[in-house]
Amino acid sequence: KAPFSLFPNPANSITKLKVGSQPCDIKVINTLGQVIFMLNDRTDLIQLDLRMYSRGTYFIHIAGEQTTN
């Protein structure tokens, strides 16, 4: 089982990130390597509103106590 899931992917408005119960740091990074969004959260399901960002490719970095993806 994957330590997290992202759906829908691709997304054009709201995407949901299921990370489990461990606390984690989440960063959304553009293709230039710029962090455009950061969040430290302890909830199981996080909603990311992507409507304010330009269309394109973004990377999501998830760092927790047990894993980094």
Side-chain angles (χ1 to χ4, degrees):
K1 182 179 174 185
F4 66 93
S5 61
L6 178 72
F7 52 94
N9 185 19
N12 59 11
S13 60
I14 304 287
T15 191
K16 296 177 182 170
L17 180 62
K18 187 173 178 90
V19 293
S21 59
Q22 72 173 355
C24 62
D25 293 317
I26 298 165
K27 295 178 185 175
V28 178
I29 303 166
N30 66 17
T31 55
L32 299 174
Q34 299 166 323
V35 176
I36 60 168
F37 179 80
M38 281 180 25
L39 175 69
N40 180 290
D41 209 306
R42 295 180 177 267
T43 59
D44 181 45
L45 184 63
I46 299 161
Q47 290 191 73
L48 300 174
D49 186 351
L50 304 175
R51 292 176 285 196
M52 66 184 93
Y53 304 115
S54 302
R55 292 182 69 173
T57 301
Y58 295 91
F59 304 95
I60 297 181
H61 181 266
I62 304 165
E65 294 176 0
Q66 298 176 0
T67 186
T68 298
N69 294 297

